[in-house]
Coordinates of all heavy atoms in Angstrom, one line a residue:
Chain A
R153 N -5.3 -72.3 69.2 CA -5.8 -71.8 70.4 C -6.7 -70.6 70.1 O -6.1 -69.6 69.6 CB -4.7 -71.5 71.4 CG -4.0 -72.7 71.9 CD -2.9 -72.3 72.9 NE -1.7 -71.9 72.2 CZ -0.7 -72.6 71.8 NH1 -0.7 -73.9 72.0 NH2 0.3 -72.1 71.1
Q171 N 4.6 -70.2 65.6 CA 3.3 -69.8 66.0 C 2.9 -68.6 65.1 O 3.7 -67.8 64.7 CB 3.3 -69.4 67.4 CG 1.9 -68.9 67.9 CD 1.9 -68.7 69.4 OE1 1.4 -69.6 70.2 NE2 2.4 -67.6 69.9
R175 N -5.3 -61.9 64.5 CA -6.3 -61.1 65.3 C -7.2 -60.3 64.3 O -6.7 -59.9 63.2 CB -5.6 -60.2 66.3 CG -4.4 -59.5 65.8 CD -3.8 -58.8 67.0 NE -4.5 -57.6 67.4 CZ -4.4 -57.0 68.6 NH1 -3.5 -57.5 69.4 NH2 -5.1 -55.9 68.9
T205 N 5.8 -62.9 71.7 CA 4.7 -62.6 72.6 C 5.2 -62.4 74.0 O 6.4 -62.5 74.3 CB 3.8 -63.9 72.6 OG1 4.5 -65.0 73.1 CG2 3.3 -64.2 71.2
R206 N 4.3 -62.1 74.9 CA 4.6 -61.9 76.3 C 5.4 -63.1 76.8 O 6.2 -63.0 77.7 CB 3.4 -61.7 77.1 CG 2.8 -60.3 77.0 CD 1.5 -60.1 77.7 NE 0.8 -59.0 77.3 CZ -0.5 -58.8 77.4 NH1 -1.2 -59.8 77.9 NH2 -1.1 -57.7 76.9
T207 N 5.1 -64.3 76.3 CA 5.7 -65.5 76.8 C 7.0 -65.8 76.0 O 7.5 -66.9 76.0 CB 4.8 -66.7 76.8 OG1 4.1 -66.7 75.5 CG2 3.7 -66.5 77.9
W213 N 2.9 -62.2 63.3 CA 1.7 -61.3 63.4 C 1.1 -61.2 62.0 O 1.6 -60.5 61.2 CB 2.1 -60.0 64.0 CG 1.0 -59.1 64.3 CD1 0.1 -58.6 63.4 CD2 0.7 -58.5 65.6 NE1 -0.8 -57.7 64.1 CE2 -0.4 -57.7 65.4 CE3 1.2 -58.7 66.9 CZ2 -1.0 -57.0 66.5 CZ3 0.7 -58.0 67.9 CH2 -0.5 -57.2 67.7
K230 N -2.8 -84.0 70.2 CA -1.6 -83.1 70.2 C -0.6 -83.5 71.3 O 0.6 -83.2 71.1 CB -2.1 -81.7 70.4 CG -2.8 -81.4 71.7 CD -3.4 -80.0 71.8 CE -4.2 -79.9 73.0 NZ -5.0 -78.7 73.0
G233 N 0.3 -87.7 70.8 CA 0.7 -88.0 69.4 C 0.2 -89.3 69.0 O -0.8 -89.8 69.5
E238 N 1.7 -99.9 64.9 CA 1.1 -100.5 63.7 C 0.6 -99.3 62.8 O 0.9 -99.3 61.6 CB 0.0 -101.4 64.0 CG -0.6 -102.0 62.7 CD -1.6 -103.1 63.0 OE1 -1.8 -103.5 64.2 OE2 -2.2 -103.6 62.1
R242 N 1.9 -98.2 59.1 CA 1.0 -98.3 58.0 C 0.7 -96.9 57.4 O 0.4 -96.8 56.2 CB -0.3 -99.0 58.4 CG -0.2 -100.5 58.6 CD -1.5 -101.1 58.9 NE -1.4 -102.4 59.4 CZ -1.3 -103.5 58.6 NH1 -1.3 -103.3 57.3 NH2 -1.2 -104.7 59.1
R594 N 11.9 -101.4 61.3 CA 10.7 -100.7 60.8 C 10.7 -99.3 61.1 O 10.0 -98.5 60.5 CB 9.5 -101.4 61.3 CG 9.2 -102.8 60.6 CD 8.0 -103.4 61.2 NE 7.5 -104.4 60.3 CZ 6.4 -105.2 60.5 NH1 5.8 -105.1 61.7 NH2 6.0 -106.0 59.6
Chain B
rC76 P -7.9 -93.7 65.9 OP1 -7.1 -94.5 65.0 OP2 -9.0 -94.3 66.7 O5' -7.0 -92.8 66.8 C5' -5.9 -92.2 66.3 C4' -5.2 -91.3 67.3 O4' -6.2 -90.3 67.8 C3' -4.9 -92.0 68.6 O3' -3.6 -92.6 68.5 C2' -4.9 -90.9 69.7 O2' -3.7 -90.1 69.6 C1' -6.1 -90.1 69.2 N1 -7.4 -90.4 69.8 C2 -7.6 -89.9 71.1 O2 -6.7 -89.3 71.7 N3 -8.8 -90.2 71.7 C4 -9.7 -90.8 71.0 N4 -10.9 -91.1 71.7 C5 -9.5 -91.3 69.7 C6 -8.3 -91.1 69.1
rU77 P -3.3 -93.9 69.4 OP1 -1.9 -94.3 69.1 OP2 -4.4 -94.9 69.3 O5' -3.3 -93.3 70.9 C5' -2.2 -92.5 71.4 C4' -2.4 -92.2 72.8 O4' -3.6 -91.4 73.0 C3' -2.7 -93.4 73.7 O3' -1.5 -94.1 74.1 C2' -3.4 -92.8 74.9 O2' -2.4 -92.1 75.8 C1' -4.2 -91.7 74.2 N1 -5.6 -92.1 74.0 C2 -6.5 -91.9 75.0 O2 -6.2 -91.5 76.1 N3 -7.8 -92.4 74.8 C4 -8.3 -92.9 73.6 O4 -9.5 -93.2 73.5 C5 -7.3 -93.1 72.6 C6 -6.0 -92.7 72.8
rA90 P -8.6 -80.0 73.1 OP1 -7.8 -78.7 72.7 OP2 -9.8 -79.9 73.9 O5' -8.9 -80.8 71.8 C5' -8.0 -80.9 70.7 C4' -8.6 -81.8 69.6 O4' -8.9 -83.1 70.1 C3' -9.9 -81.3 69.0 O3' -9.7 -80.3 68.0 C2' -10.5 -82.6 68.4 O2' -9.8 -82.9 67.2 C1' -10.1 -83.6 69.5 N9 -11.1 -83.7 70.5 C8 -11.1 -83.2 71.8 N7 -12.2 -83.5 72.4 C5 -13.0 -84.2 71.5 C6 -14.2 -84.8 71.6 N6 -15.0 -84.8 72.7 N1 -14.7 -85.5 70.6 C2 -13.9 -85.6 69.5 N3 -12.7 -85.0 69.2 C4 -12.3 -84.4 70.3
rU97 P -11.9 -60.6 73.4 OP1 -12.3 -59.1 73.5 OP2 -12.4 -61.5 72.3 O5' -10.3 -60.6 73.4 C5' -9.7 -61.8 73.1 C4' -8.3 -61.5 72.5 O4' -8.5 -60.9 71.2 C3' -7.5 -60.5 73.3 O3' -6.2 -61.0 73.3 C2' -7.7 -59.2 72.6 O2' -6.6 -58.4 72.7 C1' -7.8 -59.7 71.1 N1 -8.4 -58.8 70.2 C2 -7.7 -58.3 69.2 O2 -6.5 -58.5 69.0 N3 -8.3 -57.4 68.4 C4 -9.6 -57.0 68.5 O4 -10.1 -56.2 67.6 C5 -10.4 -57.6 69.5 C6 -9.7 -58.5 70.4
rU98 P -5.2 -60.9 74.6 OP1 -5.7 -61.8 75.6 OP2 -5.0 -59.5 74.9 O5' -3.9 -61.5 74.0 C5' -3.8 -62.9 73.8 C4' -2.4 -63.3 74.1 O4' -1.5 -62.7 73.1 C3' -1.9 -62.9 75.5 O3' -1.0 -64.0 76.0 C2' -1.0 -61.7 75.2 O2' 0.0 -61.5 76.1 C1' -0.5 -62.0 73.8 N1 0.0 -60.9 73.0 C2 1.3 -60.8 72.7 O2 2.2 -61.6 73.1 N3 1.7 -59.7 72.0 C4 0.8 -58.7 71.5 O4 1.3 -57.8 70.8 C5 -0.6 -58.9 71.8 C6 -0.9 -60.0 72.5
rU99 P -1.0 -64.3 77.6 OP1 -2.0 -63.5 78.3 OP2 0.4 -64.3 78.0 O5' -1.4 -65.8 77.6 C5' -2.8 -66.2 77.5 C4' -3.0 -67.3 76.5 O4' -2.7 -66.9 75.2 C3' -2.0 -68.5 76.7 O3' -2.5 -69.4 77.8 C2' -2.1 -69.2 75.4 O2' -3.2 -69.9 75.2 C1' -2.2 -67.9 74.4 N1 -0.9 -67.6 73.9 C2 -0.4 -68.3 72.8 O2 -1.0 -69.3 72.4 N3 0.8 -67.9 72.4 C4 1.6 -66.9 72.8 O4 2.7 -66.6 72.2 C5 1.0 -66.1 73.9 C6 -0.2 -66.5 74.4
rU100 P -1.4 -70.1 78.7 OP1 -2.1 -70.9 79.7 OP2 -0.3 -69.2 79.1 O5' -0.7 -71.1 77.7 C5' -1.4 -72.2 77.1 C4' -0.6 -72.9 76.0 O4' -0.2 -71.9 75.1 C3' 0.8 -73.4 76.5 O3' 0.6 -74.7 77.0 C2' 1.6 -73.4 75.2 O2' 1.3 -74.5 74.4 C1' 1.0 -72.2 74.5 N1 1.9 -71.0 74.6 C2 2.9 -70.8 73.6 O2 3.1 -71.7 72.8 N3 3.7 -69.7 73.8 C4 3.5 -68.7 74.7 O4 4.3 -67.8 74.7 C5 2.5 -69.0 75.7 C6 1.7 -70.1 75.6
rA101 P 1.6 -75.5 77.8 OP1 1.2 -75.3 79.3 OP2 3.0 -75.2 77.4 O5' 1.3 -77.0 77.4 C5' 1.3 -77.4 76.1 C4' 0.0 -78.1 75.7 O4' -0.1 -79.4 76.4 C3' -1.3 -77.4 76.1 O3' -2.3 -77.6 75.1 C2' -1.8 -78.0 77.4 O2' -3.2 -77.9 77.6 C1' -1.3 -79.4 77.1 N9 -1.1 -80.2 78.3 C8 -0.5 -79.8 79.5 N7 -0.4 -80.8 80.4 C5 -1.0 -81.8 79.8 C6 -1.3 -83.1 80.3 N6 -1.0 -83.6 81.4 N1 -2.0 -84.0 79.4 C2 -2.3 -83.5 78.2 N3 -2.1 -82.3 77.7 C4 -1.5 -81.5 78.5
rA102 P -2.7 -76.4 74.1 OP1 -3.9 -76.8 73.4 OP2 -1.5 -76.1 73.4 O5' -3.0 -75.2 75.1 C5' -4.3 -75.0 75.6 C4' -4.2 -74.0 76.7 O4' -4.2 -72.6 76.1 C3' -5.4 -74.0 77.6 O3' -5.3 -75.0 78.6 C2' -5.3 -72.5 78.2 O2' -4.3 -72.4 79.1 C1' -4.9 -71.8 76.9 N9 -6.1 -71.3 76.2 C8 -6.7 -71.8 75.1 N7 -7.8 -71.1 74.7 C5 -7.9 -70.2 75.7 C6 -8.9 -69.2 75.8 N6 -9.9 -68.9 75.0 N1 -8.8 -68.4 76.9 C2 -7.8 -68.6 77.8 N3 -6.8 -69.5 77.7 C4 -6.9 -70.2 76.6
rC131 P -2.9 -111.8 59.0 OP1 -2.4 -111.6 57.6 OP2 -2.4 -112.8 59.9 O5' -2.7 -110.4 59.8 C5' -3.1 -109.2 59.2 C4' -3.0 -108.1 60.2 O4' -4.0 -108.3 61.2 C3' -1.7 -107.9 61.0 O3' -0.7 -107.3 60.3 C2' -2.2 -107.1 62.2 O2' -2.4 -105.8 61.8 C1' -3.6 -107.7 62.4 N1 -3.5 -108.8 63.4 C2 -3.5 -108.5 64.8 O2 -3.6 -107.3 65.1 N3 -3.3 -109.5 65.7 C4 -3.2 -110.7 65.4 N4 -3.0 -111.6 66.3 C5 -3.1 -111.1 64.0 C6 -3.3 -110.1 63.1
rG132 P 0.8 -107.8 60.6 OP1 1.7 -107.1 59.6 OP2 0.9 -109.2 60.8 O5' 1.1 -107.1 62.0 C5' 1.1 -105.7 62.1 C4' 1.1 -105.3 63.5 O4' 0.0 -105.8 64.2 C3' 2.3 -105.7 64.4 O3' 3.5 -105.0 64.1 C2' 1.7 -105.5 65.8 O2' 1.7 -104.1 66.1 C1' 0.3 -106.0 65.6 N9 0.2 -107.4 65.9 C8 0.0 -108.5 65.1 N7 -0.1 -109.6 65.8 C5 0.0 -109.3 67.1 C6 0.0 -110.1 68.3 O6 -0.1 -111.3 68.4 N1 0.1 -109.3 69.4 C2 0.2 -107.9 69.4 N2 0.3 -107.3 70.7 N3 0.3 -107.2 68.4 C4 0.1 -107.9 67.2
rG133 P 4.9 -105.6 64.4 OP1 5.9 -104.7 63.9 OP2 4.9 -107.0 64.0 O5' 5.0 -105.6 66.0 C5' 5.0 -104.3 66.7 C4' 5.0 -104.6 68.2 O4' 3.8 -105.3 68.6 C3' 6.1 -105.5 68.7 O3' 7.3 -104.8 68.9 C2' 5.5 -106.0 70.0 O2' 5.6 -104.9 71.0 C1' 4.1 -106.1 69.7 N9 3.8 -107.5 69.2 C8 3.6 -108.0 68.0 N7 3.3 -109.3 67.9 C5 3.3 -109.7 69.2 C6 3.1 -110.9 69.8 O6 2.8 -112.0 69.3 N1 3.2 -110.9 71.2 C2 3.5 -109.8 71.9 N2 3.6 -109.9 73.3 N3 3.7 -108.6 71.4 C4 3.6 -108.6 70.1

Side-chain angles (χ1 to χ4, degrees):
Chain A
R153 286 183 285 271
Q171 179 169 261
R175 47 186 283 162
T205 63
R206 282 176 198 156
T207 49
W213 185 297
K230 61 188 173 190
E238 183 174 354
R242 287 186 190 277
R594 286 176 157 180

